[in-house]
Amino acid sequence: MQCWQAPLVGVFGQGPAPCRRLCRRPGLQAFAKLKYKTNIAQNHTKKSNFVSIDYDRLYSQPSYKPGRQYGPLKLVQLPGRGRGLVTDRSVQAGETLLLCEPVGGRVLDGPAGREPQPEELAAALEEWQREGKLGPADRARLRLLYEGPPADPSSPAPTAACPSLDDFRKLEDKLRRQGARDGGPKKARGKGFGAGPAGGAAGGAETGIDLASLSAPPLSPSELRRLAKYDSWGNAWGELGAAGLRGEELEAVMGIWPEFSLLNHSCAPNTVAFTVGSCMLVQAVRKLPPGAEVTTSYLADLALAPLQQRRQWLQGAYGFTCACERCQAESSLPPAVTAAVSAAYSAATAPAAVQLAAEARATSDRGALCELEGQLAGAVEALETAMEEAGLEGEVRQWLRCSAYPAYRSLAAIRDLPPPPPQQQQQHQPSDSGSSERRKARLPLDMARAAGAAPGAAAGEVGGVFSGLAGWAEAEVAAGGPQEAVGAAGLDAAFGGSSGDGSSSSSGVMFGGGSSTSAVQRPDQMPYSDPEVPADLAGIVEAVVAASDMHFYLVYEAMSRATELYGRDDPRVTEATKHVIRVLLTRYGRPSDKLLFQLLRSRMCVGHYLGDVTQLPPPPSSSAESTPGDGGLGQGHGALSAVPRDAGSALAAPLLGSGAAAAASPAQLRGAAEWAAAQVAAVEELAAGMRADREEEEGAGEEEAE
Ligand SMILES: C[S@@+](CC[C@H](N)C(=O)[O-])C[C@H]1O[C@@H](n2cnc3c(N)ncnc32)[C@H](O)[C@@H]1O
């Protein structure tokens, strides 16, 4: 399986992939009142009929081991897809569906940014088995997993029977009991405890599983290879928020989490999965009715690619033709729409476009990209028109935009670069469009505003956060150098540290006046950047990679830009802030507010640009360190600094992504975080209310189930 994380993740095994909503919106007054009703410290332990997790400890203490936890799920046979997990009551967005442990209690780790390969995992599994680190229950669990199509296609697929999800949780006990009944000592007997007489009658009768045959013999190298190919999951980065809080380095991980391996694929999945230490959490990203199949995406970057590319890859890697809702919708489109999706995708990912962008990004030369910009704008416009003419709406439109996402994203990235000098603009005018019209071709939704309508910008220009901060960074240098001015200590202060008002004393630049009602003041020379650009991109990716790192960084950037542009008390900033909180609560479940903010801070240490993740360099001086274990920025920086700064996402690579981020100086990246820091007070207030609201909804869901 492949999973998405930021920048993009690995996988259920297949090597690098070519790789909603919590709602009910009370007014602000209600949020403020609710804050007192929901003192978080009391609420961070989720105890329901299903899971009992202390989220605060999970995200901050490596010693905390909550064990296997299953939400309201059952394992069933599904037509054409083998087994799968379905809900047995309604589920809210942000509910934990699974908390799994990897087989052998261990994962294969590696340098962050480099995805381990399934063959490496297979070799590691062999070694663990040789060294006795895969116990009988581990082997039994592995034997319950899908092992790929049969060598002889006429024989049925060798999917082991598994009558209940609980068999995964209780295997240790069952094996131990069976061992006892068979008269052997409770500890390892012969081939391992649990290895009863052939047929394992007692265990078999009780569980439906032939325990002896499942657990006794070691798995062969070819079995381990198949399991690593079909059932593993990997992530090139680890958890960008929790790693710092837990005092862990960011590392690539790969392993097999048996219960998670029971999830089937969808190109528009309803969960997000990520690892914290070696545990894997699976969170619902939208409301699910009882009986809904719980799905994950096996695609990484290709989640944002057209139907044909997705199907081809899934067929090659896993041997099935995806027929999820998104695929079905995309396979029955009018030909004009299919052609427009494919043209937009190709315009952004064609080798010539990629090369051009690579050359231009070295110099932030937007002039060299005028023609490409025209092509992308034309392609996006054509797709929007085709969808309009075909009468497509809502979810389907968003899915199609996802399928052509590289075009939307690249266009936004180009328009965030400083505009070329007028002379160059003329030189590079797209020949076919003639046109400012074409150059200004509107992005859908409100992205159009980015193309020149935002107040204060010269027509046709969009100043990005990073390009926009350039002037400010220059001022910083003049005032004593960016390092001094925007070190992590400065950020700590911005988060309510010494100054408490978000101002950066060393730079002399005000980021949010002394009172909570004052608007953010910006240096004169700083252009604004349009918050709608990342907000609209977030709206697109939410349809297929909700609560992923990419989604988070887009909503976060929208909040950051809105704060910069409107001042923190503006209602638009409130909305953007709520969006950030929703994404965090969906991803992280139910940590206390304090922990939630620490996770937010920790994430803010990571450089990002339009959803592409890059890395900030380490803090420049010792003054930037924060107290170990406090989850502060110093620690986060320390952990993150191990990762090469240029290690952007695979998706970014095609066009501008990591290049644009790399073009931003450390001061600019930190500066962007600092703007957002002005939001923390507002975040705190809003989060409490939203959490209360959600708890009410969850409570109602559980009552309904009972
Ligand atoms: C990790 S396993 C998932 C659990 C599996 N269904 C089982 O019975 O154990 C991956 C395999 O499940 C099947 N599968 C997953 N998603 C599917 C889908 N959307 N349509 C058809 N088959 C699917 C494919 O055979 C794939 O190789």
Side-chain angles (χ1 to χ4, degrees):
M1 286 194 224
Q2 305 255 347
C3 277
W4 184 285
Q5 198 157 7
L8 296 176
V9 193
V11 191
F12 263 130
Q14 295 295 336
C19 184
R20 308 139 156 109
R21 262 168 239 277
L22 295 167
C23 250
R24 282 189 57 202
R25 304 177 178 197
L28 270 178
Q29 294 292 349
F31 280 126
K33 283 186 201 134
L34 281 168
K35 184 174 177 185
Y36 301 105
K37 195 170 123 193
T38 56
N39 191 336
I40 320 305
Q42 295 160 12
N43 288 325
H44 65 267
T45 304
K46 168 74 179 155
K47 284 208 177 85
S48 74
N49 297 344
F50 299 94
V51 297
S52 175
I53 300 170
D54 187 328
Y55 290 94
D56 277 19
R57 294 183 66 201
L58 178 66
Y59 296 130
S60 62
Q61 296 175 12
S63 59
Y64 174 65
K65 306 272 180 217
R68 295 167 195 278
Q69 306 258 344
Y70 308 151
L73 301 178
K74 60 187 176 206
L75 186 61
V76 296
Q77 287 288 335
L78 295 161
R81 307 197 281 288
R83 297 163 305 179
L85 292 174
V86 297
T87 56
D88 63 6
R89 69 153 162 83
S90 65
V91 162
Q92 302 298 321
E95 268 195 68
T96 299
L97 294 176
L98 284 174
L99 194 148
C100 324
E101 287 174 356
V103 275
R106 61 197 62 227
V107 295
L108 176 66
D109 49 35
R114 183 193 157 268
E115 223 169 69
Q117 299 300 300
E119 308 78 56
E120 295 170 52
L121 179 65
L125 286 166
E126 258 190 79
E127 193 183 318
W128 298 340
Q129 181 168 256
R130 248 194 332 270
E131 293 170 355
K133 291 172 183 159
L134 291 187
D138 288 317
R139 300 199 298 270
R141 285 194 185 93
L142 284 172
R143 289 214 161 85
L144 287 169
L145 300 182
Y146 177 71
E147 276 188 41
D152 169 8
S154 61
S155 58
T159 302
C162 184
S164 137
L165 182 57
D166 241 17
D167 286 326
F168 283 82
R169 176 158 44 200
K170 295 182 177 155
L171 263 170
E172 278 87 354
D173 289 348
K174 285 175 178 167
L175 289 169
R176 192 173 294 116
R177 277 207 302 279
Q178 188 201 15
R181 266 200 292 271
D182 292 339
K186 288 203 170 175
K187 290 224 162 164
R189 14 177 337 262
K191 293 175 193 158
F193 80 82
E206 186 186 323
T207 67
I209 299 171
D210 179 348
L211 293 176
S213 69
L214 284 176
S215 64
L219 289 115
S220 69
S222 81
E223 281 175 307
L224 291 174
R225 270 199 303 278
R226 284 201 299 276
L227 289 163
K229 175 170 158 64
Y230 289 102
D231 298 283
S232 66
W233 183 91
N235 173 338
W237 293 87
E239 219 295 307
L240 297 170
L245 299 191
R246 291 165 57 97
E248 294 167 345
E249 294 285 307
L250 275 186
E251 285 182 325
V253 293
M254 189 169 208
I256 296 180
W257 288 263
E259 299 88 342
F260 179 64
S261 301
L262 297 168
L263 294 186
N264 287 319
H265 163 86
S266 164
C267 296
N270 48 29
T271 61
V272 62
F274 58 96
T275 51
V276 179
S278 64
C279 287
M280 170 175 285
L281 264 136
V282 182
Q283 297 280 121
V285 294
R286 52 177 178 262
K287 192 170 176 170
L288 305 178
E293 183 176 3
V294 177
T295 54
T296 186
S297 168
Y298 297 2
L299 302 162
D301 302 41
L302 280 187
L304 298 176
L307 173 74
Q308 200 199 348
Q309 279 85 342
R310 301 197 308 272
R311 278 203 168 153
Q312 204 177 343
W313 189 80
L314 287 167
Q315 185 64 53
Y318 291 95
F320 70 89
T321 301
C322 185
C324 69
E325 273 185 296
R326 180 178 167 203
C327 288
Q328 283 181 33
E330 211 166 331
S331 63
S332 55
L333 294 171
V337 183
T338 307
V341 169
S342 162
Y345 181 78
S346 308
T349 56
V354 173
Q355 194 185 341
L356 181 64
E359 284 162 12
R361 76 187 183 201
T363 52
S364 289
D365 180 2
R366 183 168 165 185
L369 295 171
C370 276
E371 192 171 340
L372 180 59
E373 184 184 348
Q375 286 163 3
L376 291 171
V380 161
E381 194 176 42
L383 173 56
E384 291 295 322
T385 308
M387 291 196 292
E388 185 71 40
E389 284 171 358
L392 300 174
E393 287 182 348
E395 201 170 44
V396 176
R397 271 200 190 208
Q398 244 15 4
W399 285 338
L400 294 177
R401 288 177 182 135
C402 286
S403 299
Y405 185 73
Y408 288 89
R409 192 236 167 266
S410 300
L411 190 54
I414 291 175
R415 288 177 168 167
D416 255 5
L417 290 172
Q423 207 186 2
Q424 232 181 349
Q425 276 185 34
Q426 272 174 3
Q427 262 173 26
H428 291 280
Q429 209 56 256
S431 52
D432 61 340
S433 72
S435 56
S436 52
E437 223 19 69
R438 175 61 73 88
R439 246 182 336 101
K440 277 198 240 153
R442 314 290 274 189
L443 287 168
L445 319 167
D446 290 322
M447 279 153 98
R449 285 197 288 282
E461 299 174 12
V462 184
V465 158
F466 303 122
S467 55
L469 282 163
W472 169 68
E474 275 163 28
E476 296 280 274
V477 174
Q483 299 193 341
E484 238 182 272
V486 292
L491 270 185
D492 278 338
F495 274 114
S498 53
S499 70
D501 63 2
S503 66
S504 166
S505 55
S506 55
S507 71
V509 177
M510 293 286 287
F511 288 101
S515 101
S516 64
T517 52
S518 67
V520 174
Q521 293 175 26
R522 294 175 293 127
D524 287 346
Q525 68 271 48
M526 184 188 290
Y528 63 84
S529 48
D530 193 332
E532 301 295 342
V533 174
D536 288 338
L537 291 177
I540 296 177
V541 303
E542 185 177 15
V544 306
V545 289
S548 64
D549 290 317
M550 173 185 278
H551 187 206
F552 169 79
Y553 281 111
L554 285 168
V555 292
Y556 170 72
E557 187 157 327
M559 177 182 86
S560 168
R561 290 183 182 195
T563 313
E564 176 186 328
L565 182 59
Y566 307 124
R568 66 183 170 208
D569 293 323
D570 189 282
R572 287 163 290 190
V573 175
T574 307
E575 274 313 302
T577 308
K578 283 196 221 168
H579 215 129
V580 171
I581 298 166
R582 272 187 215 115
V583 172
L584 287 172
L585 289 175
T586 301
R587 184 176 177 91
Y588 291 117
R590 194 185 282 197
S592 69
D593 280 1
K594 184 165 171 252
L595 232 287
L596 196 73
F597 303 137
Q598 285 177 338
L599 287 165
L600 175 63
R601 287 176 199 186
S602 190
R603 284 185 160 270
M604 286 167 71
C605 295
V606 181
H608 61 93
Y609 175 75
L610 289 186
D612 297 323
V613 179
T614 183
Q615 298 296 318
L616 290 177
S621 71
S622 56
S623 67
E625 279 166 25
S626 61
T627 324
D630 69 357
L633 293 166
Q635 196 179 10
H637 274 301
L640 297 172
S641 64
V643 185
R645 183 165 170 249
D646 230 3
S649 86
L651 188 70
L655 266 174
L656 285 180
S658 52
S665 71
Q668 289 170 326
L669 290 166
R670 290 203 179 105
E674 203 156 344
W675 282 112
Q679 272 311 100
V680 165
V683 168
E684 199 161 358
E685 194 171 299
L686 291 173
M690 292 169 71
R691 176 192 305 282
D693 218 27
R694 196 178 76 173
E695 279 164 11
E696 232 170 72
E697 282 181 10
E698 279 181 17
E702 279 169 22
E703 272 166 31
E704 193 186 300
E706 281 161 19

